[in-house]
Amino acid sequence: MKLCLQLQRQVHRLRWQQRARFYTQCADAAAAISATSYGNTGNELIESSSGTSNCKPTLRKFNVRLETPLAPEEQLGLTGDAKALGEWQLSRCVPLERMDELTWQTHVRLQSCRQLEYRYFVYVENAAGYKQIRRWETHFKPRVLDPCMDQHCHSPLDVFGLASVDERSAQVHRGWLNHEAIVQLKFNGEKMFQVHDIETFDPQHVQLKIVPVEETAGLVVEYSKQLYGKSQLQLQPAHGVSYTKGDIVIFHITLPLDRMMLQNFRLECYSLAQELLGSASLSASQLAGSEGLLQLHIKSAQRPEETLARLRLPYVVVQPYQYSPLDFKTTYAHYWPRSWPNLDVGHRGNGKSYIADAPLERENTIASFLSAYSHYADMVELDVHLTADGIPVIYHDFGLRTAPPGKQIEKPEQLEYVLIKDINYELLKRLRIFSVVNGKVMEYPAHNAEPRPDHRIFPRLVEVLQQLPKSLGIDVEIKWPQRRQGGGTEAEQTIDKNFFADRVLYEVIQFGCGRPLIFSSFDADMCTMLRFKQNIFPVMFLTQGETKKWQPFSDLRTRNFLAAVNNAQAFELAGTAPHAEDFLGENAAHMLQQAHVQGQITVVWGDDCNSKERVKYFTEIGATATCYDRSDLHVPETKQRSFFNSSALLAEFEAQCRI
């Protein structure tokens, strides 16, 4: 895996067709290493039977009933913590046999003297024999199979998704990517169509459908039309999905990695009377990089030489996480118990520092995070960028103001602005750092000039994860520049998005486990990536909503709170992190309740949170957590400790650590 780690630092410069081969090779290597590492676990039947005469292999029956039938290509699998059950590994799972439309069954020879844990999941196989997880049981604690010393052990009838008879609703979610990728085609903006003749083709009244040209095992096309409470991914209707200006429709295509260079599609456009108006051809080979913009020509169904419309169609490609295999052992992707109180989250640690009346510690430094913790913050929010040499570092802005060594700076226009993504980490540590506060130029110590390690700017993510106490939760915000409604972007970004996500995930999975940790991003596609690349940590969609403070983003999913809630439902995110400005009106409590009804958390953030009165207000109207500056000033006076400063609570997070 070290080889894959080194190579992937170069792979974001390659086209997708070249990357596909690399990702498949790394995934195969990871699976092989995993199979070897799980080889000596003490679960061998021969070890058990030779160790004691009372513990003998016993044939155990697994019998499970489904609420609805599986699709013809789908299979039911079983995995658990015994070697005979595959030790939570997808590649070594136990397939069940279909007994009738709803009942599946298998027999497995297992140790008779110890308690075992297991889960069920639904999968399909592609032409290469790789399994693709469609859905899996995501209870925080797996099912339990009790010891059985009798010759004929009782075999209960399990119900897929319900781990106990007391549960009212199934705990089932989509899987994570392994040997397949996701392509999303996004109707999520304004002025996407350029029409030649509105009488012939009216994009305000059209139905859209994505049709695979070649039949491919493991390929499925789904869509989300984002409406409150109805945004879940589902299969397409026969004559497409109705679309008009202002709608948000995302086509979600899952396909095997080895088809990324070969698969072709057709975008079909139907009238509301279900008449085929025209179509456009597209190929997966056109998808250069992790994201981009397709320029499609919709040709008339009646006169193929005639172009009805031109379409600017954004896309994103989500590739599997590459550095180590993940497993079915447990998931925290939706773990946020209702019994938890409203949490206090320290914004950038103890708050913004490049302002007047700033706290003593500079923002996004270890000292600032520890200061918030010392004043009983439950979590801290931090911002992650990637340097030119692929190092995840902590800093808020996309770039920084600097100047050459020795140059006297008196005016803001003398400063240079450089982007973090263009600078190697060793150079970044040497740069002079400036800000402009109320028109006055202020210089701060460079990383290498600061004698106190905890106060150094640009700490590496791995340093923060290793040095902060486990009892301090972390909100890891992934910084990715957004395109504005009026044109232009927040900043240039040339790093590949999948590479960026994988580098951050690698450090968090390796060094951040065993603690409360959640991902967030203003970029909806980054949230989708983080959700489908891994199954360990929860993900929030961070939005600025309907604000007067900043220009809106072009992605319609970012424009208001309900749009964010709908997107979170579509792709099974833990929830949203909305801007506080959305919740200052009379309807605030009802808006938050709309998210909670969908099973989502809401972490409210913004300058409007920065007072004791506002912290209390957001708690009272039902925010899951409140993220604000100056924990030293605004944490409730009655608070005695950080919520996660409890050995019993921290024990709940130990299963995050897989490696």
Side-chain angles (χ1 to χ4, degrees), residues 457-495:
I457 195 173
F458 307 123
R460 294 179 58 171
L461 175 60
V462 64
E463 296 170 342
V464 172
L465 295 173
Q466 290 176 327
Q467 294 184 40
L468 294 188
K470 297 281 189 182
S471 50
L472 177 59
I474 302 178
D475 171 6
V476 179
E477 181 189 337
I478 308 297
K479 301 293 286 189
W480 194 267
Q482 295 299 289
R483 182 170 294 278
R484 298 187 179 94
Q485 180 186 19
T489 59
E490 294 181 293
E492 181 189 47
Q493 179 58 278
T494 54
I495 297 175

Side-chain angles (χ1 to χ4, degrees), residues 362 365-366 393-394 425-433 444-460 463:
R362 267 199 287 178
T365 61
I366 292 173
V393 298
I394 313 304
Y425 187 57
E426 289 304 315
L427 173 59
L428 187 64
K429 293 192 295 183
R430 298 197 301 267
L431 290 183
R432 297 172 70 187
I433 305 298
Y444 301 84
H447 176 102
N448 287 350
E450 172 57 69
R452 301 166 297 175
D454 286 357
H455 290 258
R456 287 174 183 159
I457 195 173
F458 307 123
R460 294 179 58 171
E463 296 170 342

Side-chain angles (χ1 to χ4, degrees), residues 48-285:
S48 173
S49 59
S50 62
T52 171
S53 59
N54 293 328
C55 190
K56 298 180 179 180
T58 303
L59 196 63
R60 303 299 296 269
K61 179 181 178 181
F62 293 86
N63 202 25
V64 60
R65 180 175 60 82
L66 303 172
E67 294 292 335
T68 57
L70 299 185
E73 72 276 12
E74 292 179 335
Q75 300 289 318
L76 197 65
L78 166 70
T79 187
D81 63 349
K83 190 166 187 178
L85 295 176
E87 295 175 318
W88 303 121
Q89 296 300 299
L90 174 63
S91 61
R92 297 162 52 208
C93 72
V94 178
L96 278 77
E97 181 181 355
R98 190 192 308 256
M99 306 307 293
D100 56 44
E101 191 176 45
L102 296 175
T103 307
W104 294 68
Q105 189 181 107
T106 193
H107 294 80
V108 184
R109 192 169 295 278
L110 296 167
Q111 295 177 17
S112 60
C113 59
R114 80 173 183 93
Q115 180 175 282
L116 299 171
E117 295 181 342
Y118 66 102
R119 296 181 191 271
Y120 296 108
F121 66 99
V122 177
Y123 69 95
V124 297
E125 285 193 8
N126 64 23
Y130 290 123
K131 295 180 176 65
Q132 177 190 122
I133 307 164
R134 286 278 175 88
R135 301 177 296 282
W136 67 298
E137 295 183 321
T138 51
H139 309 89
F140 182 61
K141 295 183 178 180
R143 296 177 181 273
V144 171
L145 185 66
D146 292 325
C148 175
M149 307 301 291
D150 299 331
Q151 208 169 24
H152 301 287
C153 299
H154 173 66
S155 300
L157 177 62
D158 295 328
V159 178
F160 183 66
L162 299 176
S164 71
V165 295
D166 299 328
E167 290 186 341
R168 297 181 179 180
S169 59
Q171 295 293 311
V172 175
H173 291 93
R174 290 172 174 264
W176 62 99
L177 297 176
N178 289 274
H179 293 277
E180 65 279 358
I182 290 170
V183 175
Q184 289 192 345
L185 305 175
K186 305 179 294 177
F187 290 81
N188 65 331
E190 299 165 318
K191 300 179 181 178
M192 299 183 64
F193 288 94
Q194 181 182 355
V195 179
H196 291 204
D197 183 357
I198 196 69
E199 297 295 329
T200 307
F201 184 87
D202 183 0
Q204 302 302 312
H205 302 92
V206 69
Q207 296 183 173
L208 306 171
K209 186 176 184 180
I210 299 294
V211 180
V213 175
E214 303 89 6
E215 290 188 10
T216 299
L219 187 153
V220 61
V221 180
E222 300 168 285
Y223 78 98
S224 167
K225 184 170 184 179
Q226 301 199 354
L227 301 169
Y228 178 71
K230 302 176 182 179
S231 301
Q232 302 95 329
L233 287 170
Q234 54 191 303
L235 296 177
Q236 302 175 99
H239 294 92
V241 184
S242 63
Y243 172 80
T244 190
K245 183 179 178 181
D247 284 349
I248 300 172
V249 176
I250 311 292
F251 289 97
H252 183 96
I253 306 167
T254 306
L255 74 165
L257 279 176
D258 59 7
R259 292 295 302 176
M260 281 300 299
M261 294 175 283
L262 305 170
Q263 188 67 44
N264 295 291
F265 299 93
R266 189 170 59 250
L267 170 63
E268 295 182 344
C269 302
Y270 293 85
S271 69
L272 298 185
Q274 301 183 352
E275 174 192 0
L276 181 62
L277 300 174
S279 64
S281 297
L282 60 145
S283 170
S285 62

Side-chain angles (χ1 to χ4, degrees), residues 493-564:
Q493 179 58 278
T494 54
I495 297 175
D496 181 82
K497 186 175 283 188
N498 275 283
F499 173 74
F500 193 119
D502 280 358
R503 288 295 299 123
V504 175
L505 280 173
Y506 175 79
E507 297 204 349
V508 170
I509 290 173
Q510 291 281 338
F511 306 106
C513 65
R515 67 166 357 114
L517 186 145
I518 192 165
F519 286 108
S520 63
S521 180
F522 280 104
D523 187 80
D525 297 333
M526 180 62 77
C527 292
T528 300
M529 283 190 172
L530 294 169
R531 161 61 184 89
F532 287 105
K533 282 177 175 285
Q534 55 88 38
N535 66 341
I536 304 175
F537 302 103
V539 181
M540 295 186 300
F541 184 23
L542 179 58
T543 64
Q544 65 182 30
E546 299 178 78
T547 178
K548 299 177 182 178
K549 299 183 179 182
W550 307 287
Q551 186 181 152
F553 297 142
S554 63
D555 190 334
L556 294 177
R557 294 175 289 181
T558 67
R559 296 288 182 85
N560 58 69
F561 177 59
L562 275 189

Side-chain angles (χ1 to χ4, degrees), residues 545-656:
E546 299 178 78
T547 178
K548 299 177 182 178
K549 299 183 179 182
W550 307 287
Q551 186 181 152
F553 297 142
S554 63
D555 190 334
L556 294 177
R557 294 175 289 181
T558 67
R559 296 288 182 85
N560 58 69
F561 177 59
L562 275 189
V565 169
N566 295 341
N567 189 69
Q569 182 188 37
F571 306 118
E572 296 185 345
L573 308 182
T576 63
H579 188 227
E581 193 177 354
D582 279 342
F583 304 98
L584 300 181
E586 296 179 356
N587 202 33
H590 172 69
M591 291 172 63
L592 290 173
Q593 183 62 23
Q594 286 180 295
H596 298 163
V597 166
Q598 301 301 323
Q600 298 180 18
I601 63 172
T602 49
V603 178
V604 179
W605 66 277
D607 290 345
D608 292 304
C609 299
N610 291 340
S611 70
K612 286 186 177 181
E613 294 75 19
R614 282 291 173 79
V615 171
K616 181 180 179 182
Y617 165 75
F618 287 114
T619 299
E620 290 175 345
I621 65 173
T624 307
T626 309
C627 179
Y628 53 91
D629 296 320
R630 303 305 298 264
S631 299
D632 58 334
L633 300 179
H634 306 318
V635 161
E637 295 177 356
T638 56
K639 196 164 187 177
Q640 300 290 318
R641 64 173 177 85
S642 298
F643 176 66
F644 296 111
N645 192 6
S646 159
S647 57
L649 275 173
L650 286 183
E652 294 291 326
F653 293 92
E654 291 176 356
Q656 284 179 344

